[in-house]
Amino acid sequence: MSDELSPILRARREKLDKLRERDLEPFAYRFERSQTSAAAREAFESAESAGALPEDGHGAVARVGGRVVSWRGHGKSAFAHIEDGDGRIQLYFKKNVLGDESFDLALEMLDLGDWIGVAGAPFRTRTGEVTVRVDEWQLLTKSLRPLPFGKVEVDAETGERVVHSGFADTESRYRQRYADLAVNPEVRDVFRTRAQIVRELRQALDDAGFLEVETPALQPLYGGAAARPFVTHHHALDREMYLRIADELYLKRLIVGGYEAVYEIAKDFRNEGIDRFHNPEFTMLEFYRAYWDYHDLMDFTEALLARVVAAVVGGSRIDFQGTEISFEAPFGRIRFMEALGEALEADPATLSDDDLRARARALGIEDMGTAGRPRVLDKLFGELVEPGLVQPTFVMDHPIELSPLAKPHRTDPGVVERFELYVNGAELANAFSELNDPLDQRSRFEAQTELRDAGDVEAHQVDEDYIRALEYGLPPTGGLGMGVDRLVMLLTDQASIRDVILFPVLRAEE
RNA sequence: GAGCCGGUAGCUCAGCUGGUAGAGCAACGGACUUUUAAUCCGUAGGUCCUGGGUUCGACCCCCAGCCGGCUCACCA
C-alpha cells in the first residue's frame, strides 16, 4: 500500500501506537469464550422464563467475543453490538461498572471492526433487548482499516433488517470478499447454504452406494467435454499438461476397474468467456453407475434433486428471481428432435441443411456458414426451445454428432441415449448411457479429430489409453455431470454465478 | 469480441447549460449513564479511474485506455 496513509487509516495507527505505549497488546493470542452470542442469549432467556433470575434481573456471567459492528456512546455509558459466528449481541458499557480507566480506554480506543472479548451478566434493556452488561473487556485485534459497515435498522413490527448505505459496489465486494462477508451476513448465509447443498449431494450418493473418488486435475490429455483447456507445463517431465475440463474419462476407467458406482465433486477448468453463468473454474458433480442406462439416471436425478431441495428449502418449490420452480417428480421429458420440430413447425429430418441455415439466419444467428448440420440443430434448439424450459425438463436423445461419448440410441438411428436437464432455461446437468464399444468410440474420436483439423479447438483429442480401458470392458453404465454452482444459484436465488463463488475470477486490479 | 450503463471522500450517493466539488454515514473534538439508522454542537477529509485533447476555464465536452455490471456473441 502507499506510504501516505489517509487520515482515516492514520488515526487507527495512532491508536495502535498508544495501546503499545501503554503495554496493551493490540493483537491478542487467545480468548477464553464461554458461549456464542446466540447461546448466551438463549441461556439468559431460559433462566428468565424459568423465573430463575435474581432480583436485579441479571443472568449468569457470560464470556462472549466478536467484532464490534455498532457503537452508540452516551457519555458515561455506551451501547455496542458485537457479531460472532452465530449472530449479534448487544453490549452495555457503563462507567461506574467498568471503572474510569477501563471505560475511558474503550471510548478512546475502540473502533468499529475491532475484535473484542467481554465478560458480563446478561440483562434485558428497557426496550427489551437481551444485552451483556460489560464487567470486563479486552481488545483481541485492533482493526486498522475501517470496514464498510452500513447502518442496520430493524423494523419494530416486522423484525426485518434494513441496511442503510451498506457495502454495495459489486466490484469491491468480489475483490474484497472478506469485507463483503464481514459486513453482509446474508452473503455468509449463501455460502453456508452452498456447503449444505454439497453435503446433501454427497450424503445422497453415499447412501445410494456410490464411492467418492479423486481423479487427476492435472492431465496429460483433456477430455470428457467440449471446451478449451488451461495449458501448463511440468518442468521435471518437460511436457505440457492440462487442467481438467471434466472428470468423465477417468471415472469411467474406474468402472472398468470394477467399482460399480463412483462419484467426484471437483473443480473443472475451462478457458472460456466469463459471464453470469460461467466462471473459468467451477464445481462439477459427476457420477457413474454400472448397469444403469439414462432412464435410470433420470429417475435417480429426480430423487437426488428432490432430496436436496427438500433439505435446503424445505419443500419441493423454490422461488428463483420471481419465478416459481417445482422440483416435484416427474420432471418433464421431451425429445430433442421432436421439441425442435414443434418449434420449427416442421420435421427437422425433412429439412435440408440450407433450409436449417436459413431458419437460423432468420432468427439472427450468425456465423452458421461453416457449421455442420448438428451444430445448426443445436443452435436452433438453443434459440427456440431452451428459453422455454423453465420447469425442470429432461431433453432427451440428441444428434449423435454432438455427443461423442454417448451410446447410440437402441432403436432410433442418428441419435444417442443422452439427456440434458434444463431448469430456468439453463442447463443444469448432462448425462448419457455411456458409450462402451471401444471400436465405435475410436471412430467417434476420429470424427472429432476431423473437426479439430478443421479448426474446432474444442473438439476431443483421441485418448488411446481410454480406448484401451474400454477394450478391457466397460459394463453398461449410466453417467451424469451436474453444475454445482448453478444448482446453488437456483437454491439460493442468486442471479450470478459470482454470487455463489467466494472468489470469482476478475481481471487484475491494477 | 460488440453494444449499453457505471467508476466523485473510508462507505452510499448528488453534482444544472463547462465557472474550479457537496450530503448522509464513518472519522476527529465536545455534550449526554437503558440506546438501537441514538441525538445535539463543532472540525477535518478529494489523483472527481488513467492519459491525452478542446477551452480563458473540464467531474462535466472529445479521443484513447483500464476496471466493473448488464445484454449479445461464445459456451455440452
Side-chain angles (χ1 to χ4, degrees):
Chain A
M1 289 289 146
S2 68
D3 295 337
E4 289 202 20
L5 293 176
S6 72
I8 212 154
L9 295 182
R10 205 180 315 128
R12 297 217 176 175
R13 294 293 181 93
E14 283 164 7
K15 289 180 183 175
L16 185 74
D17 294 340
K18 281 185 196 158
L19 285 163
R20 290 215 155 112
E21 280 166 21
R22 298 192 206 175
D23 278 335
L24 292 167
E25 176 53 52
F27 301 101
Y29 284 85
R30 76 184 297 271
F31 174 67
E32 187 74 33
R33 174 167 86 167
S34 68
Q35 292 142 108
T36 64
S37 61
R41 183 180 303 107
E42 282 160 23
F44 173 81
E45 285 175 342
S46 64
E48 183 183 50
S49 58
L53 293 179
E55 282 285 302
D56 67 357
H58 285 67
V61 167
R63 295 177 61 83
V64 293
R67 172 182 267 142
V68 179
V69 294
S70 71
W71 184 270
R72 294 174 295 284
H74 293 268
K76 296 185 179 62
S77 72
F79 287 92
H81 280 90
I82 55 169
E83 185 173 277
D84 65 13
D86 276 5
R88 297 185 171 200
I89 194 163
Q90 183 165 256
L91 306 180
Y92 186 39
F93 291 78
K94 219 173 166 185
K95 188 159 187 159
N96 63 348
V97 169
L98 277 167
D100 291 358
E101 193 181 336
S102 176
F103 183 81
D104 291 345
L105 191 70
L107 275 195
E108 274 174 57
M109 292 299 164
L110 280 185
D111 288 302
L112 296 186
D114 289 349
W115 294 88
I116 63 172
V118 309
F123 69 104
R124 202 175 276 282
T125 62
R126 189 183 291 165
T127 51
E129 182 166 348
V130 176
T131 300
V132 174
R133 179 202 64 203
V134 179
D135 297 333
E136 295 168 31
W137 71 275
Q138 172 190 353
L139 181 63
L140 301 180
T141 292
K142 184 73 201 147
S143 165
L144 295 182
R145 182 179 291 273
L147 278 165
F149 288 111
K151 290 240 171 178
V152 180
E153 180 183 19
V154 180
D155 190 294
E157 286 177 12
T158 66
E160 278 177 30
R161 286 162 46 97
V162 183
V163 179
H164 299 271
S165 54
F167 187 43
D169 181 71
T170 25
E171 181 176 355
S172 304
R173 287 184 44 228
Y174 297 147
R175 286 196 194 283
Q176 302 186 44
R177 183 68 90 184
Y178 35 86
D180 185 29
L181 292 164
V183 304
N184 291 322
E186 68 280 6
V187 176
R188 291 204 295 269
D189 290 340
V190 168
F191 292 98
R192 285 202 184 91
T193 302
R194 183 183 171 117
Q196 186 194 2
I197 290 166
V198 172
R199 193 161 58 237
E200 202 63 40
L201 287 169
R202 186 170 266 129
Q203 265 166 24
L205 288 157
D206 290 343
D207 290 350
F210 285 83
L211 178 72
E212 182 170 14
V213 297
E214 294 180 83
T215 65
L218 205 53
Q219 303 181 346
L221 280 178
Y222 58 93
R228 295 182 67 170
F230 285 92
V231 184
T232 185
H233 187 263
H234 189 285
H235 294 296
L237 298 178
D238 189 24
R239 61 162 303 166
E240 301 260 278
M241 298 199 81
Y242 307 94
L243 298 185
R244 72 172 149 220
I245 58 173
D247 316 5
E248 172 150 1
L249 301 182
Y250 282 95
L251 291 173
K252 282 189 279 190
R253 284 173 169 98
L254 295 176
I255 302 293
V256 169
Y259 294 113
E260 293 187 347
V262 295
Y263 75 97
E264 181 166 17
I265 297 172
K267 284 281 183 68
D268 289 347
F269 306 86
R270 297 187 184 176
N271 208 337
E272 290 166 349
I274 298 175
D275 62 29
R276 78 196 172 85
F277 293 105
H278 299 85
N279 192 62
E281 61 174 305
F282 62 100
T283 302
M284 179 88 102
L285 161 67
E286 290 195 37
F287 61 83
Y288 292 81
R289 182 151 197 144
Y291 313 124
W292 278 11
D293 66 9
Y294 74 145
H295 295 290
D296 298 305
L297 290 172
M298 283 187 266
D299 296 342
F300 183 76
T301 302
E302 283 171 345
L304 178 67
L305 288 176
R307 172 172 171 168
V308 174
V309 171
V312 173
V313 299
S316 61
R317 287 161 193 279
I318 62 165
D319 178 90
F320 184 75
Q321 307 287 301
T323 302
E324 187 181 80
I325 296 172
S326 168
F327 282 90
E328 203 157 318
F331 299 168
R333 300 188 186 199
I334 62 174
R335 302 191 74 209
F336 184 95
M337 291 298 265
E338 284 173 13
L340 184 56
E342 271 177 43
L344 290 170
E345 294 177 334
D347 181 0
T350 67
L351 294 174
S352 70
D353 290 7
D354 285 342
D355 286 341
L356 290 170
R357 285 211 178 80
R359 295 288 201 116
R361 269 195 302 278
L363 290 166
I365 302 171
E366 295 162 19
D367 281 342
M368 283 283 102
T370 60
R373 181 183 177 87
R375 196 104 183 80
V376 178
L377 292 172
D378 195 37
K379 291 300 292 182
L380 285 168
F381 189 90
E383 195 70 28
L384 294 171
V385 185
E386 281 179 22
L389 303 177
V390 174
Q391 299 301 318
T393 305
F394 293 116
V395 175
M396 303 162 59
D397 302 339
H398 298 62
I400 193 166
E401 297 90 339
L402 292 171
S403 315
L405 300 165
K407 204 166 168 63
H409 195 279
R410 63 197 75 182
T411 58
D412 198 351
V415 302
V416 292
E417 294 198 353
R418 172 183 175 187
F419 69 81
E420 291 177 298
L421 174 60
Y422 281 87
V423 181
N424 199 50
E427 185 195 339
L428 181 62
N430 180 30
F432 22 89
S433 301
E434 301 297 337
L435 177 58
N436 57 350
D437 173 347
L439 303 179
D440 190 0
Q441 183 66 76
R442 178 179 294 282
S443 61
R444 302 273 198 100
F445 275 150
E446 282 165 359
Q448 290 284 308
T449 304
E450 283 175 30
L451 292 177
R452 229 183 144 65
D453 294 343
D456 184 349
V457 291
E458 295 180 348
H460 264 89
Q461 303 166 293
V462 180
D463 190 333
E464 291 290 349
D465 177 75
Y466 178 66
I467 291 171
R468 178 168 62 190
L470 292 185
E471 286 170 347
Y472 283 121
L474 174 70
T477 297
L480 178 142
M482 184 183 298
V484 173
D485 311 274
R486 289 186 183 176
L487 179 60
V488 176
M489 286 169 66
L490 286 168
L491 300 192
T492 58
D493 196 18
Q494 298 297 315
S496 170
I497 199 169
R498 295 181 204 91
D499 292 316
V500 300
I501 291 176
L502 281 166
F503 298 99
V505 172
L506 299 176
R507 288 176 202 273
E509 199 165 352
E510 293 168 333

